[in-house]
Amino acid sequence: QPSSSLFLLSAVIISTVAAFVPTTSSTSILSLKAAFEDEVGAQQPIGFFDPLGLVADGNQENFNRLRYVEMKHGRVAMLAFLGQITTRAGIHLPGDIDTHGTSFESIGNGWAALGKVPLEGVQQMIAFIGALEVLAMKDVEGTAEFPGDFRNGADFGWSKFDDETKRQKQSIELSNGRAAMMGILGLMVHEQLHSNMPIIGQL
């Protein structure tokens, strides 16, 4: 039967051609992810970790943006965690935060500070953070060696380090930032649970 033979021949041709058509496979995805295996931050024992596949396409620009965000969040978290343990140790700025006599010492720690900081104090913090964001905490001169490099012409002794030492110091900052993000989140949660934490004490 000619029609049956034609159908069979067409099926054979299609299946043969399909065998040579590139397909998206786990191998290609793994090869794209491998592009970042040697990036700073891909540390043992986990190595490169991207469970959500945010950089599965191998886009370097996207990776750099996410790394920049990670470093900024890590730096903020390190300051936040240090601020928590410092104020809970009884160390506060001297003087008042406003013109009405509200001392820094009178403001509570952690969640207790919410609603206690007067408007003038909130305005000071917003203005200070805004100035940092606009004037300092970015690559103003376009000379950054890596995402998060905000030296902007200053050196701070960075050029004296060899490549291995630079990579080590970047890895340390990333690790500390990651730990701080988990740390400050843990403190915030345990404060709501009224936990008694080692060193920090009753939250």
Side-chain angles (χ1 to χ4, degrees), residues 21 33 122 137 149 173 178:
V21 176
K33 288 186 175 181
V122 174
M137 296 303 171
D149 179 7
E173 181 183 17
R178 291 165 178 172

Side-chain angles (χ1 to χ4, degrees), residues 80 83-85 87-88 106-117 183-195 200 202-203:
Q84 273 270 17
I85 61 176
T87 54
R88 290 185 184 282
S106 67
I107 298 174
N109 303 314
W111 290 103
L114 293 178
K116 300 296 183 181
V117 179
I184 190 61
L185 179 61
L187 284 178
M188 293 168 66
V189 171
H190 279 282
E191 186 175 354
Q192 292 298 303
L193 298 175
H194 305 290
S195 303
I200 299 174
Q202 182 66 44
L203 295 178

Side-chain angles (χ1 to χ4, degrees), residues 45-67:
I46 297 177
F48 180 70
F49 186 67
D50 182 26
L52 299 180
L54 298 178
V55 292
D57 58 355
N59 187 310
Q60 185 68 47
E61 184 178 351
N62 185 40
F63 177 87
N64 290 341
R65 183 185 67 81
L66 293 173
R67 172 51 50 83

Side-chain angles (χ1 to χ4, degrees), residues 144-155:
E145 289 185 20
F146 53 88
D149 179 7
F150 301 150
R151 288 176 295 152
N152 293 313
D155 186 67

